[in-house]
Amino acid sequence: MAHKVSMTVNGVTRESEVEPRTLLVHHIREGLGLTGTHIGCDTSQCGACTIIMNGKAVKSCTVLAVQADGADIMTIEGLAKDGQLHPIQEGFWEEHGLQCGFCTPGMIMSAYDLLQRNASPSEAEIRHAIDGNLCRCTGYQHIVKSIQWAANKMASAPAGDD
Amino acid sequence: MAVTKLFGASIKRREDPRLMTGRANFTDDVRLPGMTSMAVLRSPHAHAKIVSIDTSAAKAMPGVVAVYTGADLIDDLAPVPCAWLVPNANLVIPEYRAVATDRVRFVGDAVAVVVAEDRYLAQDAADKIEVEYDVLPAVVDQEAATQDGAPQLYDNVPNNIAFHWELGGGDIDAAFADADVTISKRIVNQRLIPNPMETRGAVAAYNPGSGELTLWVTTQNPHVHRLLIALTTSTPESQVRIIAGDVGGGFGCKIPTYAGEMIACAIAKRLGRPVRWQEDRRENFVTTTHGRDHITQLEVAAKNDGTVTGIRVKTYASMGAHLSTAGPGVPTWLYALMLPGPYTIKNFHADVYGVLTNNTATDAYRGAGRPEATYLLERAMDLVARELKMDPVAVRSKNLVPAGEFPYTSAAGLLYDSGNYQGALAKALEVIDYAGFRAEQAKAREEGRLLGIGFSTYVEVCGLAPSAAAGAMGFQGGLWESAIVRFHPTGKVTVFTGTNSHGQGHKTTFAQVVADELGVPFEDVDIVHGDTQMVPMGMGTYGSRSLAVGGAAIVSASRMVVEKARTIAAHLMEVGVDDVTFDSGTFYVTGAPDKVKTIQEVALASYLAWNMPEGVTPGLEATYFYDPSNNVYPFGTHVCVVEVDKDTGQVAFKRYVAIDDVGYVVNPMIVDGQVHGGITQGLAQAVYESAVYDEAGQLLTGSLMDYAIPKAAMLPWFEVDRTETPSPTNVMGIKGAGETGTIASTPAVANAILDALAPYGVDHIDMPLTPQKIWRLIHEQKG
Amino acid sequence: MYPAAFDYAKPATVAEAVSLLSANPDAKILNGGHSLLPAMKLRLAQPAMLVDIGGISELKQVSVNGGATIGAAATYDDLLKHDGLKAHTALYEAMSKVGDVQVRNRGTVGGSAAHADPAADIPAALIALGAELVAVGPNGTRTIAADDFFVDILTTALEPDEVLTEIRIPASGASSAYEKFAHPASGYAVCGVAVALERDGEGTVTNARIAVTGSVYKATRCSAAEAAITGTKATAADIEAAAAVAADGLELAGDHYASAEYRGHLTKVLTKRALTRAAG
């Protein structure tokens, strides 16, 4: 039986009908056509599907679309504003924080969650904060540097609406 | 060559903005009208006869388009191919069908396929297929599989031995007869699961009107895929188009051509509707090829002064339930040729059994054979040091090929291109402060703390070549690479390469090289790869070959373009070709400084073709197929420092230093990233990762909840530096950087832990060195 | 991964949730979903209905006043923001070590307790702190001691038609700690030990509660270690002696990563570490 759901996705209200079993990540990718959010595992380990839901990083493969009814959601497509990369994206670019790029959207979402809570995280805090995101390419060192770069940038020029 | 401008600069990757903003195009992102979803029903048994399959309930499910069994598809698909036919090995390639017909041989073997309107419905229907199995005894231990009475996978492969191969150099028997000391050790190199973050997937579309078959697939080598898909689906190669969009990591496991994409193609041709398939991670664990999995008896012969005179191995390599595309080449050539390593070891012998077992097939995994050899050799160096009570660094120094002896012919007959092995070792010792560390270690031991240091002085072979060598080794392909460099009339440039990036940043590195060669802005150079309709035949990306072979092809094509442009420029400026010099994108005339033509002006003139030199054709582009004369040989020294917690056996990484020499470096930032990622995978083999099967052939580590790929907090900070010894083999002087980290790090880490445990008299533990294993040894020694 | 089909209901009150559960014997409660949904994706669980308690605001209430009352649907992330909970150190530390950021943003103490995974962190902490769990069912409200709540692997004292509504941590004044050896892949506890010590004015331990998870088939008290440390001043030697018997009487679990013997050993090591911190 289909359920009506309405959620704000990257600032736009999206109304849809979904089966109760539809995972939020499938709704985002198939229903809403936003393929930047990826699926890397079955068991909530890899974090490739991480999005921001009501201000917090969550694994969208472990949320039903019906549970997100009424939620405010940001996916990777919604991070850059007006053609301007977000400082976290800039950091990943400057410090070579990605190789194949498959884990990157989820990784950036977790970095976003972290920097909301902790504006100047240490290396250890960054490593701990991305514990729920697996990257098979980088060995994480450049990701740590990317997030540090972003923290510095955001500290020197606080983002207006974040 | 002159290292100028962009060559050597850490340019930000042009790939990144798309990937960072959710605008990538991975296979699972492809959307086509009328697209169906495919689910594969897989065997839950490692070895069984299929008694019956009832698909009637599945076919009746809502949204189901079709259901197929192996029998339904037998005429549509040739067997899954193996393309490395190792000679002189009594190689038998057993027939392996994309969908099993009468027998399954590993957990995950395909039994039936459902195509439905969406993936949920496909799964619902797959759950309704009834399969009756007659379960057979399974064997997953490759040594046991060769014994009489072991379960037999194929009637035409007695004792499950798919091949038996030997390689040697020097006089190994004499080396052992003359040795002062010999060491014998059984060493297991455990099975690993590559786990790129993007699982494998395919979207197949067939146009019944034109006969064109298009396959979007996650592959490292699109043209090899085209060839094998054409052959196995009986489609003319000219009608097959392979598109590898963004590829989310490969590490070797996206080299082979697999059952999954073959099935998708066959069904797309049957239905005339696009078929989409993407592995679940659970499927990826059992159907995408694994790596390593050797059981080896290692023997070492040495003199009292530390000179290692002989290495002899008898290795049982698990090939899994069938021979994957490049499977037989990995534990043979790619392994044994590197057994002498960076040392002046004159005598070696390898005796390798390729054994079929009831588990997932093995094939290349980052390093492919070379990590297995390097691990044995670097463990051997430490074992010799322990035996002779020498410093492990001294043993290595004693045996390293001296810097003055290059090019050096190894005992395996390889011609090491260039090197300064002691230089890298010396730099590593300085960075780590070796003397200081040993003092600190002695003090720590007095306090009851377990500090350890481990070294790995390695050389690896990559950028494999020439094609004639491939032929001699039985590899059913060439080892060359292609390039087209094309100027457009506006002066913009497109470069087509047969290599295929899956994270390595080719679009950036190659554009740096081309911008330098042609003297055009970096932004004006586009790199195209991954689409067989656009790119000339190429061999793809593996074995750290893309820049050493593919990049060198691009440089040669660029230089051909410049030469043609020079001819046109001379004509336009009404001077002789010999009077024209080219520098940074501009043609100058000697002695006439006012006469210049930019290469962009020449490009436009070449396409207008109003005024061409006699005999020169219009247009400005060049195609070059480069077949290198030799391999390239990166080398270096990795050092790891650990502290072991005596109470729990847990390992804390204190430092990790990597000094690599990959020749000249085009983009240091990208190379650093390759090194970091490589170290991580090798370190993970030493302490975290292992595919564990039970005796029935069930994979006990079949999810990311069980199989430990490292997380950020499980890794040290990598201190990475380089020495630079150019390779004389290619025009750029570069070697290869994709696999050095993986090859070097595994033994460095293992040696460090075993050094920490030296007070307990422990000289070897098989990987992964988990806390439990370490604690047990400490506990038993104490007990 | 693709769950099998089910019906979905999102009640606004506990009473409504209870009546849905009573009317649908194959229904399951959906809270944070971080235990149930992965099992459903693998089709290891195929409930006919999910009753989503995420819309019942009373279940998200938290009050801290000496003791603490935690709504069953409060997320770890919300709870970790309550400084008052830091006094209940074992629980606070256990929560901070659950899964990863994303899991803590969705997962709940109530969900972990009700799921009763034998390698979960929360059950050990609840037992050590002497927590009580409140359940509402068709016959009203009852309170279950944590000691009695965890019955077996994935099995609790809850009836199928009961809703776990809150967890109460008593104001015992105990000093507590949680130590964990995490599995490198799953992040679950290979072994986790929670301890809580009550001491008199002289520093003598008057009451000790020590609970282990991960090493065992269900979160279990280490009675021998509790007895050994009770009545002592919790000196290093006392702690050593108590830790040495921590695994006594436990039914230890083992697998290829960590054998029963090794887990028994870890139980002792972590008991020592947790006691040392709690006593410090």
Short mmCIF file of all heavy atoms in Angstrom, two decimals, chain B residues 44-81:
data_model
loop_
_atom_site.label_atom_id
_atom_site.label_comp_id
_atom_site.label_asym_id
_atom_site.label_seq_id
_atom_site.Cartn_x
_atom_site.Cartn_y
_atom_site.Cartn_z
N PRO B 44 23.33 -21.34 -2.29
CA PRO B 44 23.73 -21.24 -0.88
C PRO B 44 24.76 -22.31 -0.51
O PRO B 44 25.27 -22.31 0.60
CB PRO B 44 22.42 -21.46 -0.13
CG PRO B 44 21.64 -22.37 -1.02
CD PRO B 44 22.04 -22.05 -2.45
N HIS B 45 25.03 -23.21 -1.44
CA HIS B 45 25.94 -24.32 -1.17
C HIS B 45 27.25 -24.14 -1.93
O HIS B 45 27.25 -23.64 -3.05
CB HIS B 45 25.32 -25.66 -1.59
CG HIS B 45 24.00 -25.92 -0.94
ND1 HIS B 45 23.87 -26.14 0.42
CD2 HIS B 45 22.74 -25.97 -1.45
CE1 HIS B 45 22.59 -26.31 0.71
NE2 HIS B 45 21.88 -26.21 -0.39
N ALA B 46 28.34 -24.62 -1.33
CA ALA B 46 29.64 -24.50 -1.98
C ALA B 46 29.82 -25.55 -3.07
O ALA B 46 30.60 -25.35 -4.01
CB ALA B 46 30.76 -24.63 -0.95
N HIS B 47 29.11 -26.65 -2.95
CA HIS B 47 29.26 -27.71 -3.94
C HIS B 47 27.99 -28.54 -3.92
O HIS B 47 27.64 -29.10 -2.88
CB HIS B 47 30.48 -28.57 -3.60
CG HIS B 47 30.99 -29.37 -4.76
ND1 HIS B 47 32.00 -30.30 -4.65
CD2 HIS B 47 30.64 -29.36 -6.08
CE1 HIS B 47 32.25 -30.84 -5.84
NE2 HIS B 47 31.44 -30.28 -6.72
N ALA B 48 27.30 -28.60 -5.02
CA ALA B 48 26.04 -29.36 -5.05
C ALA B 48 25.64 -29.64 -6.48
O ALA B 48 26.02 -28.90 -7.40
CB ALA B 48 24.93 -28.58 -4.35
N LYS B 49 24.89 -30.72 -6.65
CA LYS B 49 24.22 -30.96 -7.93
C LYS B 49 22.86 -30.27 -7.89
O LYS B 49 22.19 -30.28 -6.86
CB LYS B 49 24.02 -32.46 -8.15
CG LYS B 49 25.26 -33.18 -8.61
CD LYS B 49 24.98 -34.64 -8.88
CE LYS B 49 26.29 -35.34 -9.23
NZ LYS B 49 26.24 -36.79 -8.94
N ILE B 50 22.51 -29.68 -9.01
CA ILE B 50 21.17 -29.09 -9.10
C ILE B 50 20.23 -30.20 -9.54
O ILE B 50 20.37 -30.74 -10.64
CB ILE B 50 21.14 -27.93 -10.10
CG1 ILE B 50 22.08 -26.82 -9.65
CG2 ILE B 50 19.71 -27.39 -10.26
CD1 ILE B 50 22.29 -25.73 -10.69
N VAL B 51 19.30 -30.57 -8.68
CA VAL B 51 18.36 -31.64 -9.01
C VAL B 51 17.21 -31.08 -9.83
O VAL B 51 16.82 -31.64 -10.86
CB VAL B 51 17.84 -32.32 -7.73
CG1 VAL B 51 16.82 -33.40 -8.06
CG2 VAL B 51 19.01 -32.90 -6.93
N SER B 52 16.68 -29.96 -9.37
CA SER B 52 15.56 -29.36 -10.12
C SER B 52 15.44 -27.89 -9.77
O SER B 52 15.87 -27.45 -8.70
CB SER B 52 14.25 -30.07 -9.76
OG SER B 52 13.96 -29.87 -8.40
N ILE B 53 14.87 -27.14 -10.69
CA ILE B 53 14.58 -25.72 -10.46
C ILE B 53 13.15 -25.47 -10.89
O ILE B 53 12.77 -25.80 -12.03
CB ILE B 53 15.52 -24.80 -11.27
CG1 ILE B 53 16.98 -25.12 -10.98
CG2 ILE B 53 15.23 -23.34 -10.96
CD1 ILE B 53 17.97 -24.28 -11.78
N ASP B 54 12.36 -24.91 -10.00
CA ASP B 54 10.98 -24.57 -10.34
C ASP B 54 10.82 -23.05 -10.31
O ASP B 54 10.89 -22.43 -9.24
CB ASP B 54 10.02 -25.24 -9.34
CG ASP B 54 8.56 -24.96 -9.69
OD1 ASP B 54 8.30 -24.15 -10.60
OD2 ASP B 54 7.69 -25.56 -9.03
N THR B 55 10.63 -22.47 -11.47
CA THR B 55 10.53 -21.01 -11.56
C THR B 55 9.09 -20.55 -11.75
O THR B 55 8.85 -19.36 -11.95
CB THR B 55 11.37 -20.48 -12.74
OG1 THR B 55 10.87 -21.07 -13.95
CG2 THR B 55 12.83 -20.82 -12.58
N SER B 56 8.14 -21.48 -11.68
CA SER B 56 6.77 -21.12 -12.05
C SER B 56 6.18 -20.05 -11.12
O SER B 56 5.54 -19.10 -11.59
CB SER B 56 5.87 -22.37 -12.09
OG SER B 56 5.98 -23.06 -10.87
N ALA B 57 6.42 -20.20 -9.82
CA ALA B 57 5.86 -19.21 -8.90
C ALA B 57 6.49 -17.84 -9.14
O ALA B 57 5.81 -16.81 -9.08
CB ALA B 57 6.10 -19.65 -7.45
N ALA B 58 7.80 -17.84 -9.41
CA ALA B 58 8.48 -16.57 -9.66
C ALA B 58 7.93 -15.90 -10.92
O ALA B 58 7.70 -14.68 -10.94
CB ALA B 58 9.98 -16.81 -9.80
N LYS B 59 7.72 -16.70 -11.95
CA LYS B 59 7.22 -16.11 -13.20
C LYS B 59 5.84 -15.50 -13.03
O LYS B 59 5.48 -14.57 -13.76
CB LYS B 59 7.17 -17.20 -14.29
CG LYS B 59 8.54 -17.53 -14.86
CD LYS B 59 8.48 -18.65 -15.88
CE LYS B 59 9.84 -18.85 -16.55
NZ LYS B 59 9.98 -20.18 -17.17
N ALA B 60 5.07 -16.02 -12.07
CA ALA B 60 3.71 -15.52 -11.87
C ALA B 60 3.65 -14.28 -10.98
O ALA B 60 2.58 -13.70 -10.79
CB ALA B 60 2.86 -16.63 -11.25
N MET B 61 4.79 -13.86 -10.45
CA MET B 61 4.80 -12.72 -9.52
C MET B 61 4.56 -11.42 -10.29
O MET B 61 4.95 -11.29 -11.45
CB MET B 61 6.15 -12.64 -8.82
CG MET B 61 6.44 -13.79 -7.88
SD MET B 61 5.54 -13.70 -6.33
CE MET B 61 6.47 -12.39 -5.51
N PRO B 62 3.91 -10.44 -9.61
CA PRO B 62 3.65 -9.17 -10.29
C PRO B 62 4.96 -8.46 -10.66
O PRO B 62 5.93 -8.51 -9.90
CB PRO B 62 2.90 -8.36 -9.23
CG PRO B 62 3.14 -9.04 -7.93
CD PRO B 62 3.39 -10.48 -8.24
N GLY B 63 4.96 -7.86 -11.82
CA GLY B 63 6.11 -7.07 -12.25
C GLY B 63 7.25 -7.87 -12.82
O GLY B 63 8.26 -7.30 -13.22
N VAL B 64 7.10 -9.20 -12.88
CA VAL B 64 8.19 -10.01 -13.41
C VAL B 64 8.14 -10.04 -14.93
O VAL B 64 7.09 -10.30 -15.53
CB VAL B 64 8.13 -11.44 -12.83
CG1 VAL B 64 9.10 -12.36 -13.55
CG2 VAL B 64 8.43 -11.40 -11.34
N VAL B 65 9.26 -9.76 -15.55
CA VAL B 65 9.34 -9.74 -17.01
C VAL B 65 9.77 -11.11 -17.54
O VAL B 65 9.21 -11.62 -18.51
CB VAL B 65 10.33 -8.66 -17.48
CG1 VAL B 65 10.49 -8.66 -18.99
CG2 VAL B 65 9.90 -7.28 -16.98
N ALA B 66 10.75 -11.72 -16.88
CA ALA B 66 11.23 -13.02 -17.34
C ALA B 66 12.05 -13.66 -16.24
O ALA B 66 12.61 -12.97 -15.37
CB ALA B 66 12.11 -12.85 -18.60
N VAL B 67 12.12 -14.98 -16.30
CA VAL B 67 12.97 -15.74 -15.39
C VAL B 67 13.75 -16.74 -16.23
O VAL B 67 13.17 -17.40 -17.11
CB VAL B 67 12.14 -16.49 -14.32
CG1 VAL B 67 13.06 -17.27 -13.37
CG2 VAL B 67 11.25 -15.52 -13.53
N TYR B 68 15.03 -16.84 -16.01
CA TYR B 68 15.87 -17.74 -16.81
C TYR B 68 16.69 -18.65 -15.89
O TYR B 68 17.17 -18.22 -14.85
CB TYR B 68 16.86 -16.95 -17.68
CG TYR B 68 16.22 -16.00 -18.64
CD1 TYR B 68 16.14 -14.64 -18.32
CD2 TYR B 68 15.68 -16.44 -19.85
CE1 TYR B 68 15.56 -13.74 -19.20
CE2 TYR B 68 15.10 -15.56 -20.74
CZ TYR B 68 15.03 -14.21 -20.42
OH TYR B 68 14.45 -13.33 -21.28
N THR B 69 16.88 -19.87 -16.34
CA THR B 69 17.82 -20.78 -15.68
C THR B 69 19.05 -20.93 -16.58
O THR B 69 19.08 -20.42 -17.72
CB THR B 69 17.19 -22.16 -15.47
OG1 THR B 69 16.94 -22.73 -16.76
CG2 THR B 69 15.90 -22.07 -14.68
N GLY B 70 20.01 -21.68 -16.10
CA GLY B 70 21.20 -21.93 -16.90
C GLY B 70 20.87 -22.62 -18.21
O GLY B 70 21.45 -22.30 -19.27
N ALA B 71 19.94 -23.55 -18.16
CA ALA B 71 19.56 -24.27 -19.38
C ALA B 71 18.96 -23.32 -20.40
O ALA B 71 19.18 -23.47 -21.61
CB ALA B 71 18.56 -25.38 -19.02
N ASP B 72 18.20 -22.32 -19.92
CA ASP B 72 17.57 -21.37 -20.84
C ASP B 72 18.61 -20.55 -21.61
O ASP B 72 18.36 -20.11 -22.73
CB ASP B 72 16.68 -20.38 -20.06
CG ASP B 72 15.51 -21.07 -19.38
OD1 ASP B 72 15.06 -22.12 -19.89
OD2 ASP B 72 15.07 -20.57 -18.32
N LEU B 73 19.76 -20.31 -20.98
CA LEU B 73 20.74 -19.37 -21.56
C LEU B 73 21.93 -20.07 -22.19
O LEU B 73 22.85 -19.42 -22.66
CB LEU B 73 21.24 -18.40 -20.47
CG LEU B 73 20.17 -17.46 -19.90
CD1 LEU B 73 20.73 -16.68 -18.71
CD2 LEU B 73 19.66 -16.49 -20.97
N ILE B 74 21.90 -21.41 -22.21
CA ILE B 74 23.11 -22.13 -22.62
C ILE B 74 23.54 -21.82 -24.04
O ILE B 74 24.74 -21.77 -24.35
CB ILE B 74 22.94 -23.65 -22.40
CG1 ILE B 74 24.29 -24.38 -22.52
CG2 ILE B 74 21.95 -24.26 -23.39
CD1 ILE B 74 24.72 -25.03 -21.27
N ASP B 75 22.58 -21.54 -24.92
CA ASP B 75 22.94 -21.23 -26.30
C ASP B 75 23.25 -19.74 -26.51
O ASP B 75 23.74 -19.35 -27.56
CB ASP B 75 21.81 -21.66 -27.25
CG ASP B 75 21.64 -23.18 -27.25
OD1 ASP B 75 22.65 -23.88 -27.04
OD2 ASP B 75 20.50 -23.64 -27.44
N ASP B 76 22.94 -18.93 -25.51
CA ASP B 76 23.15 -17.49 -25.64
C ASP B 76 24.55 -17.07 -25.25
O ASP B 76 25.03 -16.01 -25.66
CB ASP B 76 22.17 -16.71 -24.74
CG ASP B 76 20.72 -16.92 -25.12
OD1 ASP B 76 20.35 -18.08 -25.43
OD2 ASP B 76 19.95 -15.95 -25.14
N LEU B 77 25.17 -17.88 -24.40
CA LEU B 77 26.44 -17.45 -23.82
C LEU B 77 27.48 -18.56 -23.89
O LEU B 77 27.22 -19.69 -23.46
CB LEU B 77 26.25 -17.08 -22.34
CG LEU B 77 25.50 -15.77 -22.04
CD1 LEU B 77 25.19 -15.68 -20.55
CD2 LEU B 77 26.32 -14.57 -22.49
N ALA B 78 28.65 -18.20 -24.40
CA ALA B 78 29.79 -19.12 -24.30
C ALA B 78 30.24 -19.15 -22.84
O ALA B 78 29.86 -18.29 -22.05
CB ALA B 78 30.92 -18.62 -25.20
N PRO B 79 31.05 -20.14 -22.45
CA PRO B 79 31.54 -20.16 -21.07
C PRO B 79 32.28 -18.87 -20.72
O PRO B 79 32.83 -18.18 -21.59
CB PRO B 79 32.49 -21.35 -21.06
CG PRO B 79 32.01 -22.25 -22.15
CD PRO B 79 31.49 -21.33 -23.21
N VAL B 80 32.30 -18.57 -19.43
CA VAL B 80 33.03 -17.39 -18.95
C VAL B 80 34.51 -17.63 -19.26
O VAL B 80 35.07 -18.67 -18.93
CB VAL B 80 32.81 -17.21 -17.42
CG1 VAL B 80 33.58 -15.99 -16.92
CG2 VAL B 80 31.32 -17.08 -17.11
N PRO B 81 35.16 -16.65 -19.92
CA PRO B 81 36.50 -16.92 -20.46
C PRO B 81 37.64 -16.78 -19.46
O PRO B 81 37.56 -16.02 -18.51
CB PRO B 81 36.64 -15.84 -21.54
CG PRO B 81 35.77 -14.72 -21.08
CD PRO B 81 34.64 -15.34 -20.32
#
